[in-house]
Amino acid sequence: RRVHGGTSRMSVRVGVLALQGAFEEHEEMLRKIGCTTLQVKKPEQLDEIDGLILPGGESTAMALVDAKWGLFPAIRERIKCGLPVMGTCAGLILLADRVQGQKEGGQALIGGLNVEVCRNFFGSQVHSFEMNLHVNGVSGDATRAVFIRAPAITQVGEGVEVLASVDGVGSTTDKPNNVAVAVRQGNILALAFHPELGHDLAWHKMFAATVTEEKNKLNRK
């Protein structure tokens, strides 16, 4: 188990699911904004964190590794109890209630996010791209987003706020022309791209603010 501390006054510990994928990159971003981080591999470690990030990687591989540790059911219950969670790329897929394009036999999901997601919506690795995203309701410069074998949110259910969408990129005749790539539903923040692979800290700051707010609420009780 590795625990890292930051240098700012933000006294929250954010766990990063460390079964597979880009968890170390998320830790680096979190440390830059002053969060303490913890690599989460076992259910009991959920007691030690104030928020959780589900990183990009391969959602099917994560599900297979989790079959040994049993983290997904524990995370599912913590989300229901209000634990702030951010899922990026594969993490978005794991959080979705409905997923298109699953491999034969399906895969284990955490669920809780009332959306339908299409795996590899924008194509394979060679179709990866970067672009500027404007966040709904937020003024100022656009954020830079890195899409690698990225999913997209093709249907948004009740209670889900769309923060950013993409129009026409990678669309074909059998796919919708405008899709959401960043959404928020209560304590869940979900992104189709990789904020940890750039230099823009905006999304991690947004999530850390939610974690801090939730921790303050608990402390006031």
Side-chain angles (χ1 to χ4, degrees), residues 138-171:
V138 178
S139 60
D141 296 335
T143 62
R144 192 69 177 168
V146 180
F147 293 80
I148 302 174
R149 293 179 58 203
I153 301 162
T154 53
Q155 292 184 19
V156 176
E158 185 177 355
V160 178
E161 175 189 6
V162 176
L163 300 177
S165 58
V166 169
D167 188 12
V169 178
S171 296

Side-chain angles (χ1 to χ4, degrees), residues 123-140:
S124 63
Q125 190 89 10
V126 296
H127 298 108
S128 301
F129 63 96
E130 296 185 32
M131 67 178 298
N132 290 328
L133 284 180
H134 291 277
V135 184
N136 294 339
V138 178
S139 60

